[in-house]
Amino acid sequence: MKLNGKLALVTGGSQGIGRGIVEAFIQQGAQVITCGRYTEPKDLPAACNYIQLDVSDPAAVNRFAADIHNLDILVNNAGVQVEKNTVESTDEDWDQVMGANARGVFNMCRAFIPNMTEGGSIINIGSISGNIADPSMALYNASKAFVHGLTRSIAVDHGPAIRCNAICPGWIETGMLEAGFATADNPQTAMHDALQRHPVRRFGKPEDIASMAVWLASSDASFATGQLFTIDGGMTAASPLNPGLF
Amino acid sequence: MMLEGKIALVTGGRGGIGRAVVKRLMREGATVYAADLTENGSLQTHDDDGSQFIKLDVTSEDDAITAFKTVEQQHSCLHILVNAAGIEIEKTIEQTTLEEWNQSFAVNVTGTFLTSKHSLPLLRAAATQGATSSIINFGSYDGFIADPGLAAYCATKGAVHALTRAMACDHGPEGIRVNAICPGYVDTPMLQSFFKGDGSGGQGGNIESLQQAVRDVHPMRTYGTPDDIANLVNWLASDEARYASGQLWVLDGGLSAQVQQMRL
C-alpha cells in the first residue's frame, strides 16, 4: 500500500473524479477526509470522514483548517462548470465558477499549507481546457488556467517542504459527459465521433485520474513538482482538425 | 517599405508559401534570391517576379556553398534567410520506408541546417553593419500536435523547432535572430495533396465538402493563404522584430487554441 498511514483531504469527493480519488486513497491505506457543499452522501465509504464545507468561503475554510493537523495530502478537486461564452456569463456565474474553481483552490492551499507535514503533496485538478479552449466554457477554461498558474507558484514558493502538481483530465465518464451526448442531434454519431478522437478509443474513468493522484501523493513522485500532468487518452496529442472524420 | 536595402534568400522560393514570401519581401524593397530545385518549384508555371533564381537542392552541401558564394560575390552580406523548402510524406511510421524517412529529414531538417550553417558568415557581416539579421525557419503546428498519417513530417517539424531555439541561443550574441513560423492549414499544393490523399477527399469523398468542413473547424472559419504567412515572415525579417528571437510563431487561424471539436 502506497499511502499507508497518510492523512489525506480531498475536496468534492462525493461523486465523479473526487469520489474515485477518495476510494483509491482508502485502498492504498490512507486516512481520508472529504468535503462537499451538501449533506453527506449515503453511499460514501465508511472509512471516509465527511465534512460539509463550501471551499469558496474563506472563513469556513480557515475554521476547518484549524481543526486538522499533520495533513500529508491535499487534493483540490471540487469544481463547477457553467457552459457559457464571455458575453453570456453573468456576475453570478463569475462568482460561482471563479469562487469554487479558483478562489476555492486558493482558500484551501492558503489555509492548509502551514498545517501540512514535511514532504506533503498538493494535487490540484486542472483541465486540458486550462491550456486550450473548450467552446462556450469561458469562465471554466479561465478558472482552470488559474489553477495551473497557482500550482506552479506553490511548487516554487513552498518547496522543498511541499510538492504541488496538477492533473489535467480530458473527457472523463462522469454524469456530465453522458448528459452532453444525450443533448446531441444524434447521440450515437456524436459518441462515435468523440471516441474516434481518442487514440485509446475510450473515454476516461475516475479511476484513471485517481491512479495518477495516488502516484503524485506517494513517495514514488518525490521529484515531481510544479508540473501539469495531462490524462486524456491521447486526445490533445492530435490536431483539433481530423480530416479523416469529415 | 520595411526591408529597403536588405538582401534575402528564400529556400523553396518557388513553392506555395515560398513564392508568396519572395513577392512580399520584394514589395518591401528587399533584393531577393529565390532558391529552389527548379524555376517552377512545386507549381506548374512561374511568372517572372523579379527575383533572382538560384538552383538549390537544400540537401546538398555543395549546392548550399555555391548559392551563398553567389550572394557573397554580388552583395557581400545577407540580412534575411528564409528556410521554406519542405516536403511531406503522408504515411504512418509503419507505411514509411527508411528512404522516405531519410528524405524527409534530409529536406526539412538537414536542409535547414545546411543553408543556415553556410549563410552564417554573410548574416554576421550584415549584423555588423548596425542592424540584426534574421533567419526564419518553417516549423509547423504539426511539430506540437499530430495530424494522423503524417509521422515523419511531424517529427521533422519538432526537430526544426528545437533547432530554431538552439540556433537562437548560439548566434543571438552575433546579432543573428532565429525564429520559426509554425503554420496550420495553408492553401498550397502540399495541402491540396493532403486533401486528395487523406482518404476522404481522394477515394470517393467530396473534396469541396471536405474543404468546407476544414474551414468550419477553424475559429477564423477559413484556412490560411501563403500571403498570411508572408506577412509574418516580413515582420520577423524587419527591424521592427529586432527583439524577437528563439520563438515558435504559430499562425493557424486559432485552430490549435481549441480542444478537439466533437460534433455534438
Side-chain angles (χ1 to χ4, degrees), chain B residues 44-133:
Chain B
Q44 298 296 325
T45 58
H46 176 68
D47 297 330
D48 183 25
D49 58 10
S51 63
Q52 183 172 336
F53 177 74
I54 290 189
K55 187 168 159 41
L56 171 70
D57 174 352
V58 294
T59 68
S60 156
E61 185 158 31
D62 288 345
D63 275 17
I65 291 168
T66 308
F68 292 112
K69 204 159 269 169
T70 304
V71 177
E72 188 183 7
Q73 280 160 2
Q74 296 177 353
H75 298 285
S76 74
C77 75
L78 180 72
H79 300 87
I80 303 157
L81 171 67
V82 182
N83 285 308
I87 59 167
E88 179 178 280
I89 306 287
E90 288 150 26
K91 295 182 175 177
T92 67
I93 59 159
E94 200 167 25
Q95 298 155 345
T96 304
T97 64
L98 178 59
E99 198 185 357
E100 289 168 331
W101 174 269
N102 286 340
Q103 183 63 10
S104 297
F105 272 80
V107 176
N108 298 359
V109 185
T110 308
T112 300
F113 155 70
L114 285 176
T115 51
S116 301
K117 176 184 165 87
H118 292 292
S119 68
L120 278 173
L122 292 175
L123 291 164
R124 251 182 232 125
T128 52
Q129 293 161 16
T132 57
S133 52

Coordinates of all heavy atoms in Angstrom, one line a residue, chain B residues 44-133:
Chain B
Q44 N 3.2 24.5 -61.5 CA 3.3 24.1 -62.9 C 4.1 25.2 -63.7 O 4.9 24.9 -64.6 CB 1.9 24.0 -63.6 CG 1.1 22.9 -63.0 CD 1.7 21.5 -63.3 OE1 2.3 21.3 -64.3 NE2 1.5 20.6 -62.3
T45 N 3.9 26.5 -63.3 CA 4.5 27.6 -64.1 C 5.0 28.6 -63.1 O 4.8 28.5 -61.9 CB 3.4 28.3 -64.9 OG1 2.4 28.8 -64.1 CG2 2.8 27.4 -66.0
H46 N 5.8 29.6 -63.7 CA 6.2 30.7 -62.9 C 6.3 31.9 -63.7 O 6.9 32.0 -64.8 CB 7.6 30.4 -62.3 CG 8.2 31.5 -61.6 ND1 7.7 31.9 -60.4 CD2 9.2 32.4 -61.9 CE1 8.4 33.0 -59.9 NE2 9.3 33.3 -60.8
D47 N 5.6 33.0 -63.2 CA 5.7 34.3 -63.9 C 6.8 35.0 -63.3 O 7.0 35.0 -62.0 CB 4.4 35.1 -63.7 CG 3.2 34.4 -64.3 OD1 3.4 33.7 -65.3 OD2 2.1 34.5 -63.7
D48 N 7.6 35.7 -64.1 CA 8.8 36.4 -63.6 C 8.4 37.4 -62.5 O 7.5 38.3 -62.7 CB 9.4 37.2 -64.8 CG 10.7 37.9 -64.3 OD1 11.3 37.4 -63.3 OD2 11.1 38.9 -64.9
D49 N 8.9 37.3 -61.3 CA 8.5 38.2 -60.2 C 9.7 39.1 -59.9 O 9.6 39.8 -58.9 CB 8.0 37.4 -59.0 CG 9.1 36.4 -58.5 OD1 10.3 36.5 -59.0 OD2 8.8 35.6 -57.6
G50 N 10.7 39.1 -60.7 CA 11.8 40.0 -60.4 C 12.9 39.4 -59.5 O 13.9 40.0 -59.2
S51 N 12.6 38.2 -58.9 CA 13.6 37.6 -58.0 C 14.7 36.9 -58.8 O 14.4 36.5 -60.0 CB 12.9 36.6 -57.1 OG 12.4 35.5 -57.9
Q52 N 15.8 36.8 -58.2 CA 16.9 36.1 -58.9 C 16.9 34.6 -58.5 O 16.9 34.3 -57.3 CB 18.2 36.7 -58.6 CG 19.4 36.1 -59.3 CD 20.7 36.8 -59.1 OE1 20.7 38.0 -58.7 NE2 21.8 36.1 -59.3
F53 N 16.8 33.7 -59.5 CA 16.7 32.3 -59.2 C 18.0 31.7 -59.0 O 19.0 32.0 -59.7 CB 16.0 31.6 -60.4 CG 15.9 30.1 -60.2 CD1 15.0 29.5 -59.3 CD2 16.8 29.2 -60.9 CE1 15.0 28.1 -59.2 CE2 16.8 27.9 -60.7 CZ 15.8 27.3 -59.9
I54 N 18.1 30.9 -57.9 CA 19.3 30.1 -57.7 C 18.9 28.7 -57.6 O 18.0 28.3 -56.8 CB 20.0 30.5 -56.3 CG1 20.6 31.9 -56.5 CG2 21.1 29.5 -56.0 CD1 21.5 32.3 -55.3
K55 N 19.6 27.8 -58.4 CA 19.2 26.4 -58.3 C 19.9 25.8 -57.0 O 21.1 25.9 -56.8 CB 19.8 25.7 -59.5 CG 19.4 24.2 -59.6 CD 19.7 23.6 -60.9 CE 19.8 22.1 -60.9 NZ 18.7 21.5 -60.0
L56 N 19.0 25.3 -56.1 CA 19.5 24.8 -54.9 C 18.7 23.6 -54.4 O 17.5 23.6 -54.3 CB 19.3 25.9 -53.8 CG 19.6 25.5 -52.3 CD1 21.1 25.3 -52.1 CD2 19.1 26.6 -51.4
D57 N 19.5 22.5 -54.2 CA 18.9 21.3 -53.5 C 19.4 21.5 -52.1 O 20.6 21.3 -51.8 CB 19.4 20.1 -54.2 CG 19.0 18.8 -53.5 OD1 18.5 18.9 -52.3 OD2 19.3 17.7 -54.0
V58 N 18.5 21.7 -51.2 CA 18.9 22.0 -49.8 C 19.6 20.9 -49.1 O 20.2 21.1 -48.1 CB 17.7 22.5 -48.9 CG1 17.2 23.9 -49.4 CG2 16.6 21.5 -48.8
T59 N 19.4 19.7 -49.7 CA 20.1 18.5 -49.1 C 21.6 18.4 -49.5 O 22.3 17.6 -49.0 CB 19.4 17.2 -49.4 OG1 19.6 16.9 -50.8 CG2 17.9 17.3 -49.1
S60 N 22.0 19.3 -50.4 CA 23.4 19.2 -50.9 C 24.2 20.3 -50.3 O 23.9 21.5 -50.5 CB 23.3 19.3 -52.5 OG 24.6 19.8 -52.9
E61 N 25.3 19.9 -49.6 CA 26.1 20.9 -49.0 C 26.9 21.7 -50.1 O 27.0 22.9 -50.0 CB 27.1 20.2 -48.1 CG 28.0 21.2 -47.3 CD 28.6 20.7 -46.1 OE1 28.9 19.5 -46.0 OE2 28.8 21.5 -45.1
D62 N 27.2 21.0 -51.2 CA 27.9 21.8 -52.3 C 27.0 22.8 -52.9 O 27.4 24.0 -53.1 CB 28.3 20.8 -53.4 CG 29.4 19.9 -53.0 OD1 30.1 20.2 -52.0 OD2 29.6 18.8 -53.7
D63 N 25.7 22.5 -53.1 CA 24.7 23.5 -53.6 C 24.7 24.7 -52.6 O 24.6 25.8 -53.1 CB 23.3 22.9 -53.7 CG 23.1 22.1 -55.0 OD1 24.2 21.8 -55.7 OD2 22.0 21.9 -55.4
A64 N 24.6 24.4 -51.3 CA 24.5 25.5 -50.4 C 25.7 26.4 -50.4 O 25.5 27.6 -50.4 CB 24.3 24.9 -49.0
I65 N 26.8 25.8 -50.5 CA 28.1 26.6 -50.5 C 28.1 27.5 -51.8 O 28.4 28.7 -51.7 CB 29.3 25.7 -50.5 CG1 29.4 25.0 -49.1 CG2 30.6 26.4 -50.8 CD1 30.4 23.9 -49.0
T66 N 27.7 26.9 -52.9 CA 27.7 27.6 -54.2 C 26.7 28.7 -54.1 O 27.0 29.9 -54.6 CB 27.4 26.6 -55.3 OG1 28.2 25.5 -55.3 CG2 27.5 27.3 -56.7
A67 N 25.5 28.5 -53.6 CA 24.5 29.5 -53.5 C 25.0 30.7 -52.8 O 24.8 31.9 -53.2 CB 23.2 28.9 -52.9
F68 N 25.6 30.5 -51.6 CA 26.0 31.6 -50.8 C 27.2 32.3 -51.3 O 27.5 33.5 -51.1 CB 26.1 31.2 -49.3 CG 24.8 30.9 -48.7 CD1 24.5 29.6 -48.4 CD2 23.8 31.9 -48.6 CE1 23.2 29.3 -47.9 CE2 22.5 31.6 -48.1 CZ 22.2 30.3 -47.7
K69 N 28.0 31.6 -52.1 CA 29.1 32.2 -52.8 C 28.6 33.2 -53.8 O 29.2 34.3 -53.9 CB 30.0 31.1 -53.5 CG 31.4 31.5 -53.7 CD 32.3 30.3 -53.9 CE 32.9 29.8 -52.6 NZ 33.6 28.5 -52.7
T70 N 27.5 32.8 -54.5 CA 26.9 33.8 -55.4 C 26.5 35.0 -54.7 O 26.7 36.2 -55.2 CB 25.7 33.1 -56.1 OG1 26.1 31.9 -56.7 CG2 25.1 34.0 -57.2
V71 N 25.8 34.9 -53.6 CA 25.3 36.0 -52.8 C 26.5 36.9 -52.4 O 26.4 38.1 -52.5 CB 24.5 35.6 -51.6 CG1 24.0 36.8 -50.8 CG2 23.3 34.7 -52.0
E72 N 27.5 36.2 -51.9 CA 28.7 36.9 -51.4 C 29.4 37.8 -52.5 O 29.7 38.9 -52.3 CB 29.7 35.9 -50.9 CG 30.9 36.6 -50.1 CD 31.9 35.7 -49.6 OE1 31.8 34.4 -50.0 OE2 32.8 36.1 -48.9
Q73 N 29.5 37.2 -53.7 CA 30.1 37.9 -54.8 C 29.3 39.1 -55.2 O 29.9 40.2 -55.5 CB 30.2 37.0 -56.0 CG 31.4 36.0 -55.9 CD 31.3 34.8 -56.8 OE1 30.3 34.7 -57.6 NE2 32.3 33.9 -56.7
Q74 N 28.0 39.0 -55.1 CA 27.1 40.1 -55.6 C 26.9 41.2 -54.5 O 26.7 42.3 -54.8 CB 25.8 39.6 -56.1 CG 26.1 38.7 -57.4 CD 24.8 38.1 -57.9 OE1 23.8 38.2 -57.4 NE2 25.0 37.4 -59.1
H75 N 26.8 40.7 -53.2 CA 26.4 41.7 -52.1 C 27.3 41.7 -50.9 O 27.1 42.5 -50.0 CB 24.9 41.4 -51.7 CG 24.0 41.6 -52.9 ND1 23.6 42.8 -53.3 CD2 23.4 40.6 -53.6 CE1 22.8 42.6 -54.4 NE2 22.6 41.3 -54.6
S76 N 28.1 40.7 -50.7 CA 29.0 40.5 -49.6 C 28.3 40.4 -48.2 O 28.9 40.4 -47.2 CB 30.0 41.7 -49.5 OG 29.4 42.9 -49.1
C77 N 27.0 40.4 -48.2 CA 26.3 40.1 -46.9 C 24.9 39.6 -47.2 O 24.4 39.7 -48.4 CB 26.3 41.3 -46.0 SG 25.1 42.5 -46.5
L78 N 24.2 39.1 -46.2 CA 22.8 38.6 -46.3 C 22.1 39.0 -45.0 O 22.6 38.7 -43.9 CB 22.8 37.1 -46.5 CG 21.5 36.4 -46.6 CD1 20.9 36.7 -48.0 CD2 21.6 34.9 -46.5
H79 N 21.0 39.6 -45.2 CA 20.2 40.1 -44.0 C 19.2 39.0 -43.5 O 18.8 39.0 -42.4 CB 19.5 41.4 -44.2 CG 20.4 42.5 -44.6 ND1 20.8 42.8 -45.9 CD2 21.0 43.4 -43.8 CE1 21.7 43.8 -45.9 NE2 21.8 44.2 -44.6
I80 N 18.6 38.3 -44.5 CA 17.4 37.5 -44.3 C 17.6 36.1 -44.9 O 17.8 36.1 -46.2 CB 16.2 38.2 -44.8 CG1 16.0 39.6 -44.2 CG2 14.9 37.3 -44.6 CD1 15.1 40.5 -45.1
L81 N 17.5 35.1 -44.2 CA 17.4 33.7 -44.7 C 16.1 33.1 -44.3 O 15.8 33.0 -43.1 CB 18.6 32.9 -44.2 CG 18.5 31.4 -44.6 CD1 18.6 31.2 -46.1 CD2 19.5 30.5 -43.8
V82 N 15.3 32.7 -45.3 CA 14.0 32.1 -45.0 C 14.1 30.6 -45.5 O 14.3 30.3 -46.7 CB 12.8 32.8 -45.8 CG1 11.5 32.1 -45.4 CG2 12.8 34.2 -45.4
N83 N 14.0 29.7 -44.5 CA 14.1 28.3 -44.9 C 12.7 27.7 -45.1 O 12.2 27.0 -44.2 CB 14.9 27.5 -43.7 CG 16.3 27.8 -43.7 OD1 17.0 27.6 -44.8 ND2 16.9 28.2 -42.6
A84 N 12.2 27.9 -46.3 CA 10.8 27.5 -46.6 C 10.7 26.2 -47.3 O 9.6 25.6 -47.5 CB 10.1 28.6 -47.4
A85 N 11.9 25.6 -47.8 CA 11.8 24.3 -48.5 C 11.4 23.2 -47.6 O 11.8 23.1 -46.4 CB 13.2 24.0 -49.1
G86 N 10.4 22.4 -48.0 CA 10.0 21.3 -47.2 C 9.2 20.3 -48.0 O 8.6 20.6 -49.0
I87 N 9.2 19.1 -47.5 CA 8.3 18.0 -48.1 C 7.5 17.3 -47.0 O 7.8 17.4 -45.8 CB 9.2 17.0 -48.9 CG1 10.2 16.3 -48.0 CG2 9.9 17.6 -50.1 CD1 10.8 15.0 -48.6
E88 N 6.5 16.6 -47.5 CA 5.6 16.0 -46.5 C 5.3 14.6 -47.1 O 4.8 14.4 -48.2 CB 4.3 16.8 -46.5 CG 3.2 16.3 -45.6 CD 2.0 17.2 -45.5 OE1 2.0 18.2 -44.8 OE2 1.0 16.9 -46.2
I89 N 5.5 13.6 -46.3 CA 5.2 12.2 -46.6 C 3.9 11.8 -45.8 O 3.9 11.9 -44.6 CB 6.3 11.2 -46.2 CG1 7.7 11.7 -46.8 CG2 6.0 9.8 -46.6 CD1 7.8 11.5 -48.3
E90 N 2.9 11.5 -46.5 CA 1.6 11.2 -45.9 C 1.4 9.8 -45.5 O 0.7 9.0 -46.1 CB 0.5 11.7 -46.7 CG 0.4 13.3 -46.8 CD -0.1 13.8 -48.1 OE1 -0.9 13.1 -48.8 OE2 0.3 14.9 -48.5
K91 N 2.1 9.4 -44.4 CA 2.1 8.0 -44.0 C 2.3 7.8 -42.5 O 2.9 8.7 -41.9 CB 3.2 7.2 -44.8 CG 3.0 7.1 -46.3 CD 4.1 6.3 -46.9 CE 3.8 6.2 -48.4 NZ 4.9 5.5 -49.1
T92 N 1.9 6.7 -42.0 CA 2.3 6.3 -40.6 C 3.7 5.8 -40.6 O 4.2 5.5 -41.7 CB 1.3 5.2 -40.1 OG1 1.6 4.0 -40.8 CG2 -0.1 5.6 -40.2
I93 N 4.3 5.6 -39.5 CA 5.7 5.0 -39.5 C 5.7 3.7 -40.1 O 6.7 3.3 -40.7 CB 6.3 5.0 -38.1 CG1 5.5 4.2 -37.1 CG2 6.6 6.4 -37.5 CD1 6.4 3.7 -35.9
E94 N 4.6 2.9 -39.9 CA 4.7 1.5 -40.5 C 4.7 1.6 -42.0 O 5.4 0.7 -42.6 CB 3.4 0.8 -40.0 CG 3.6 -0.7 -40.1 CD 2.5 -1.4 -39.3 OE1 1.4 -0.8 -39.2 OE2 2.7 -2.6 -38.9
Q95 N 4.0 2.5 -42.6 CA 4.0 2.6 -44.0 C 5.2 3.3 -44.6 O 5.5 3.2 -45.8 CB 2.7 3.4 -44.5 CG 1.4 2.8 -44.1 CD 0.3 3.8 -44.0 OE1 0.5 5.0 -43.9 NE2 -0.9 3.3 -43.9
T96 N 5.9 4.1 -43.8 CA 7.0 4.9 -44.3 C 8.3 4.1 -44.5 O 8.7 3.3 -43.6 CB 7.3 6.0 -43.2 OG1 6.2 6.8 -43.0 CG2 8.4 7.0 -43.7
T97 N 8.9 4.2 -45.7 CA 10.1 3.4 -45.9 C 11.3 4.2 -45.3 O 11.1 5.4 -45.0 CB 10.4 3.3 -47.4 OG1 10.6 4.6 -48.0 CG2 9.2 2.6 -48.1
L98 N 12.4 3.5 -45.0 CA 13.5 4.2 -44.5 C 14.0 5.3 -45.4 O 14.4 6.4 -45.0 CB 14.7 3.2 -44.3 CG 16.0 3.8 -43.7 CD1 15.8 4.5 -42.4 CD2 17.1 2.7 -43.6
E99 N 13.9 5.1 -46.7 CA 14.3 6.1 -47.7 C 13.4 7.3 -47.6 O 13.9 8.5 -47.7 CB 14.1 5.5 -49.1 CG 14.9 6.2 -50.2 CD 14.7 5.6 -51.6 OE1 13.9 4.6 -51.7 OE2 15.2 6.2 -52.5
E100 N 12.1 7.1 -47.4 CA 11.2 8.3 -47.3 C 11.5 9.0 -46.0 O 11.4 10.3 -46.0 CB 9.7 7.8 -47.3 CG 9.3 7.3 -48.7 CD 7.9 6.6 -48.6 OE1 7.6 6.0 -47.5 OE2 7.2 6.6 -49.6
W101 N 11.7 8.3 -44.9 CA 12.1 8.9 -43.6 C 13.3 9.8 -43.8 O 13.4 10.9 -43.4 CB 12.3 7.8 -42.6 CG 12.8 8.3 -41.3 CD1 14.1 8.4 -40.9 CD2 12.0 8.7 -40.2 NE1 14.1 8.8 -39.6 CE2 12.8 9.1 -39.1 CE3 10.6 8.8 -40.0 CZ2 12.4 9.5 -37.9 CZ3 10.1 9.3 -38.7 CH2 11.1 9.6 -37.7
N102 N 14.4 9.2 -44.4 CA 15.6 9.9 -44.5 C 15.5 11.1 -45.4 O 16.1 12.2 -45.2 CB 16.7 9.0 -45.1 CG 17.2 8.0 -44.1 OD1 17.0 8.2 -42.9 ND2 17.8 6.8 -44.5
Q103 N 14.6 11.0 -46.5 CA 14.4 12.1 -47.4 C 13.7 13.2 -46.7 O 14.0 14.4 -46.8 CB 13.6 11.6 -48.6 CG 13.4 12.7 -49.7 CD 14.6 13.2 -50.3 OE1 15.7 12.6 -50.1 NE2 14.6 14.3 -51.1
S104 N 12.7 12.9 -45.8 CA 12.0 13.9 -45.0 C 13.0 14.7 -44.2 O 12.9 15.9 -44.1 CB 10.9 13.3 -44.1 OG 10.0 12.6 -44.9
F105 N 13.8 14.0 -43.5 CA 14.8 14.6 -42.6 C 15.8 15.4 -43.4 O 16.3 16.5 -43.0 CB 15.4 13.6 -41.6 CG 14.6 13.5 -40.4 CD1 13.5 12.7 -40.3 CD2 15.0 14.2 -39.2 CE1 12.7 12.6 -39.2 CE2 14.2 14.1 -38.1 CZ 13.1 13.3 -38.1
A106 N 16.2 14.8 -44.6 CA 17.2 15.5 -45.4 C 16.7 16.9 -45.8 O 17.5 17.9 -45.8 CB 17.6 14.6 -46.6
V107 N 15.5 17.0 -46.3 CA 15.0 18.2 -46.8 C 14.6 19.2 -45.6 O 15.1 20.3 -45.5 CB 13.8 18.0 -47.7 CG1 13.2 19.4 -48.1 CG2 14.1 17.2 -48.9
N108 N 13.8 18.7 -44.7 CA 13.2 19.6 -43.7 C 14.2 19.9 -42.6 O 14.1 21.1 -42.1 CB 12.0 18.9 -43.1 CG 10.8 18.7 -44.1 OD1 11.0 19.0 -45.3 ND2 9.7 18.1 -43.7
V109 N 15.0 19.0 -42.2 CA 15.9 19.3 -41.1 C 17.3 19.6 -41.6 O 17.9 20.6 -41.3 CB 15.9 18.1 -40.1 CG1 16.8 18.5 -38.8 CG2 14.5 17.8 -39.6
T110 N 17.9 18.6 -42.3 CA 19.3 18.8 -42.8 C 19.4 20.0 -43.7 O 20.4 20.8 -43.7 CB 19.8 17.5 -43.5 OG1 19.6 16.4 -42.7 CG2 21.3 17.6 -43.8
G111 N 18.3 20.2 -44.5 CA 18.3 21.4 -45.4 C 18.4 22.7 -44.6 O 19.1 23.6 -44.9
T112 N 17.6 22.8 -43.5 CA 17.6 23.9 -42.7 C 19.0 24.1 -42.0 O 19.5 25.2 -41.9 CB 16.5 23.8 -41.6 OG1 15.3 23.7 -42.2 CG2 16.5 25.0 -40.7
F113 N 19.6 23.0 -41.6 CA 20.9 23.0 -41.0 C 21.9 23.6 -42.0 O 22.7 24.5 -41.7 CB 21.3 21.6 -40.5 CG 22.7 21.3 -40.5 CD1 23.5 21.9 -39.5 CD2 23.3 20.4 -41.3 CE1 24.9 21.6 -39.4 CE2 24.7 20.1 -41.3 CZ 25.5 20.7 -40.3
L114 N 22.0 23.0 -43.2 CA 23.0 23.3 -44.2 C 22.9 24.8 -44.7 O 23.9 25.5 -44.7 CB 22.9 22.4 -45.4 CG 23.4 20.9 -45.2 CD1 23.1 20.1 -46.5 CD2 24.9 20.9 -44.9
T115 N 21.7 25.2 -45.0 CA 21.6 26.6 -45.5 C 21.9 27.6 -44.4 O 22.6 28.6 -44.6 CB 20.2 26.9 -46.1 OG1 19.2 26.5 -45.2 CG2 20.0 26.2 -47.4
S116 N 21.5 27.3 -43.2 CA 21.8 28.2 -42.1 C 23.3 28.2 -41.8 O 23.9 29.3 -41.6 CB 21.0 27.7 -40.8 OG 19.6 27.7 -41.0
K117 N 23.9 27.0 -41.8 CA 25.3 26.9 -41.5 C 26.1 27.8 -42.5 O 27.0 28.6 -42.1 CB 25.7 25.5 -41.6 CG 27.2 25.2 -41.4 CD 27.5 23.7 -41.5 CE 29.0 23.4 -41.7 NZ 29.7 23.2 -40.5
H118 N 25.8 27.6 -43.8 CA 26.7 28.2 -44.8 C 26.3 29.7 -45.0 O 27.0 30.4 -45.7 CB 26.7 27.4 -46.0 CG 27.4 26.1 -45.8 ND1 28.8 26.0 -45.6 CD2 27.0 24.8 -45.7 CE1 29.1 24.8 -45.4 NE2 28.0 24.0 -45.5
S119 N 25.2 30.1 -44.5 CA 24.8 31.5 -44.6 C 25.4 32.4 -43.4 O 25.4 33.6 -43.5 CB 23.3 31.7 -44.7 OG 22.7 31.4 -43.5
L120 N 25.8 31.7 -42.4 CA 26.2 32.4 -41.2 C 27.3 33.5 -41.4 O 27.1 34.7 -40.9 CB 26.7 31.5 -40.1 CG 25.6 30.8 -39.3 CD1 26.1 29.7 -38.4 CD2 24.8 31.8 -38.5
P121 N 28.3 33.3 -42.2 CA 29.3 34.4 -42.4 C 28.7 35.6 -43.0 O 29.0 36.7 -42.6 CB 30.3 33.7 -43.3 CG 30.2 32.3 -43.1 CD 28.8 32.0 -42.8
L122 N 27.7 35.4 -43.9 CA 27.1 36.5 -44.6 C 26.1 37.2 -43.7 O 25.9 38.4 -43.7 CB 26.3 36.0 -45.8 CG 27.2 35.5 -47.0 CD1 26.4 34.9 -48.1 CD2 28.1 36.6 -47.5
L123 N 25.4 36.4 -42.8 CA 24.4 37.0 -41.9 C 25.2 37.8 -40.8 O 24.8 38.9 -40.4 CB 23.6 35.9 -41.2 CG 22.6 35.2 -42.1 CD1 22.2 33.9 -41.4 CD2 21.4 36.1 -42.4
R124 N 26.3 37.3 -40.4 CA 27.2 38.0 -39.4 C 27.7 39.3 -40.0 O 27.7 40.4 -39.4 CB 28.4 37.2 -39.1 CG 28.4 36.6 -37.7 CD 29.7 35.8 -37.5 NE 29.3 34.5 -37.0 CZ 29.7 33.4 -37.5 NH1 30.5 33.3 -38.6 NH2 29.3 32.2 -37.0
A125 N 28.1 39.3 -41.3 CA 28.5 40.5 -42.0 C 27.4 41.5 -42.0 O 27.7 42.7 -41.8 CB 29.0 40.2 -43.4
A126 N 26.2 41.1 -42.2 CA 25.1 42.1 -42.3 C 24.8 42.6 -40.9 O 24.5 43.8 -40.7 CB 23.8 41.4 -42.8
A127 N 25.0 41.8 -39.8 CA 24.7 42.2 -38.5 C 25.7 43.2 -38.0 O 25.4 44.1 -37.2 CB 24.7 41.0 -37.5
T128 N 27.0 43.1 -38.5 CA 28.0 44.1 -38.0 C 27.7 45.5 -38.6 O 28.3 46.5 -38.1 CB 29.4 43.7 -38.4 OG1 29.4 43.4 -39.8 CG2 29.8 42.4 -37.7
Q129 N 26.8 45.6 -39.5 CA 26.5 46.9 -40.1 C 25.4 47.6 -39.3 O 24.8 48.5 -39.8 CB 26.1 46.7 -41.6 CG 27.2 46.3 -42.5 CD 26.7 45.7 -43.8 OE1 25.6 45.9 -44.2 NE2 27.6 44.9 -44.5
G130 N 25.2 47.2 -38.1 CA 24.4 48.0 -37.2 C 23.0 47.5 -37.0 O 22.3 47.9 -36.1
A131 N 22.5 46.6 -37.9 CA 21.2 46.0 -37.7 C 21.3 44.5 -37.4 O 22.4 44.0 -37.5 CB 20.4 46.2 -39.0
T132 N 20.2 43.9 -36.9 CA 20.3 42.5 -36.7 C 20.0 41.8 -38.1 O 19.4 42.4 -39.0 CB 19.2 42.0 -35.8 OG1 17.9 42.4 -36.2 CG2 19.4 42.6 -34.4
S133 N 20.4 40.6 -38.2 CA 20.0 39.8 -39.3 C 19.1 38.7 -38.8 O 19.0 38.4 -37.6 CB 21.2 39.2 -40.1 OG 22.1 38.6 -39.3

